[in-house]
Amino acid sequence: MHRSELNIDPSRPKARFRPIKAMKHMKTLIADKEDTEQVFHIIEALSGDSLRRNFYKFAETDEGEAALKERIYLPPILDKRDWLRELPSNTVGAAYLRFMESEGLTAQGLVDESMQMRERKEKFDDDLEWYGNRTRDTHDLYHVLTGYGRDALGEASLLAFTHGQMPSRGINFISFVGTREMKKHLPKRANVAECRREAYRNGKAAKLIAAEDIISLMKEPLDEARARLSIAKPVAYRHALRVFEEDGLIATDIQVAAE
C-alpha cells in the first residue's frame, strides 16, 4: 500500500527522544517486572519515529495491506475462548489458550495496562493507532510462536526477537538492560547474553508475524506455523533454562536486580 493511501492524523505530535524519562521508568520496571505499564512508557520515550517506520514496512507487505483494509480489533477475538477450545490441540490457537490460562492472562488485560498511560495522552483514530494496538495485542501470541516464557529471561529474549522484527530503540533498550542485569547474578555457563543475541537473529530472520492473518494463523498447526514463518528454535534460551534447573533455580523466580 502506498504511503499516500495511509490514514495518519496530521495533528500527531512529532515523536521525541527522552532518555532520562526512559531511565526513570526502567528503574521502576526493574524493581517490579510485573509493572508492565512501565514498558509502554520506556518504548514511547526512546523509540522516536520507529513506530511510523515499522508501520510503513508493515503496510508495504501484501499481508499488511490486507490487514489494514479489514482493521480487525484483536482483543475480543483473542479473549473469545469458546472458539479457541474448539480448535485441535496441536494448533496455534489451542497453544495460545493453554498459555493464557496457565498464566492467568487476557488480551484485554494488556490493553488495560497500556490504557493507563494512554488516558493521559491524546488518542487518534487512524491507521497508525490501529497498528500500534496490533503490535501490543499480539505480544502474548509471540510468546507461543517463539517458545519464550514469561520469566525475566524469556521476556528479555522475546523483546530482542520483537526488535529483530520491528526495530525499536525502546524495545531494544529494555531487552539489553534486563539481560545485562541478569547476567550479573546468574551462572556464567547459562550464557544469558547469547539468549538475547540469538532471539534478535531469529526475529530478524522470521517472517513478519504482525502482518499475518491472525485468525487464520490460530487455526494452523503450531509446528507448521513456526516452519512457515521461519521461526527458529530458541536453543540458547532452552540451554539457559536447563542450567537454571541444574543449579536449583526456578526461571520464573529470577528477577532483574535493582541497583
Side-chain angles (χ1 to χ4, degrees):
M1 182 177 290
H2 194 273
R3 292 186 184 184
S4 63
E5 301 176 77
L6 300 172
N7 172 28
I8 300 180
D9 194 318
S11 67
R12 278 182 172 272
K14 185 177 180 180
R16 298 172 60 192
F17 181 61
R18 304 172 67 184
I20 296 176
K21 181 176 186 289
M23 285 302 301
K24 172 186 174 183
H25 290 290
M26 189 67 204
K27 289 179 180 179
T28 303
L29 180 63
I30 287 174
D32 179 8
K33 76 179 183 68
E34 296 297 329
D35 187 1
T36 53
E37 181 188 348
Q38 304 308 317
V39 172
F40 299 107
H41 286 292
I42 297 166
I43 292 173
E44 180 195 37
L46 292 181
S47 294
D49 286 332
S50 62
L51 178 66
R52 195 177 294 242
R53 291 195 300 270
N54 290 327
F55 173 58
Y56 290 147
K57 175 183 173 183
F58 169 91
E60 288 169 359
T61 67
D62 292 339
E63 296 87 352
E65 181 177 354
L68 269 167
K69 288 178 179 178
E70 292 189 272
R71 282 188 59 166
I72 293 173
Y73 183 57
L74 290 173
I77 297 171
L78 296 175
D79 282 341
K80 191 175 181 181
R81 298 192 169 181
D82 287 346
W83 82 276
L84 292 174
R85 293 187 206 285
E86 295 174 357
L87 296 174
S89 61
N90 67 333
T91 59
V92 174
Y96 176 80
L97 178 62
R98 290 192 293 270
F99 174 82
M100 297 298 279
E101 290 188 332
S102 66
E103 297 289 341
L105 301 172
T106 64
Q108 184 59 44
L110 192 56
V111 174
D112 294 341
E113 289 281 356
S114 70
M115 292 307 293
Q116 288 183 33
M117 181 185 75
R118 290 193 180 188
E119 284 177 359
R120 300 186 288 274
K121 292 174 55 185
E122 187 176 359
K123 301 179 182 67
F124 299 92
D125 184 20
D126 61 6
D127 290 341
L128 190 57
E129 188 85 2
W130 171 86
Y131 170 75
N133 289 340
R134 186 179 181 86
T135 61
R136 172 199 64 198
D137 300 334
T138 51
H139 173 79
D140 289 316
L141 181 58
Y142 273 57
H143 274 292
V144 173
L145 290 168
T146 62
Y148 292 114
R150 290 190 70 239
D151 55 279
L153 180 58
E155 290 285 7
S157 299
L158 184 62
L159 289 175
F161 181 97
T162 305
H163 176 56
Q165 292 252 299
M166 300 172 287
S168 164
R169 282 179 298 192
I171 289 174
N172 188 42
F173 175 75
I174 298 169
S175 176
F176 170 76
V177 173
T179 304
R180 184 193 65 184
E181 292 303 312
M182 283 183 280
K183 184 179 177 181
K184 296 176 183 178
H185 307 284
L186 294 174
K188 289 185 177 180
R189 71 182 193 284
N191 200 0
V192 296
E194 177 58 22
C195 296
R196 178 175 174 273
R197 291 191 292 264
E198 180 188 65
Y200 171 74
R201 294 194 299 268
N202 289 353
K204 193 172 182 179
K207 190 175 178 181
L208 186 60
I209 297 170
E212 288 292 301
D213 180 335
I214 300 301
I215 297 175
S216 296
L217 177 62
M218 300 297 261
K219 301 174 184 178
E220 196 172 346
L222 179 57
D223 289 341
E224 292 181 16
R226 285 170 170 165
R228 180 178 63 79
L229 296 170
S230 299
I231 300 175
K233 294 180 180 179
V235 177
Y237 172 66
R238 291 178 180 176
H239 165 74
L241 293 184
R242 287 194 296 271
V243 170
F244 298 158
E245 184 177 3
E246 291 169 2
D247 286 18
L249 299 171
I250 300 175
T252 53
D253 289 343
I254 293 171
Q255 300 287 333
V256 180
E259 293 183 327

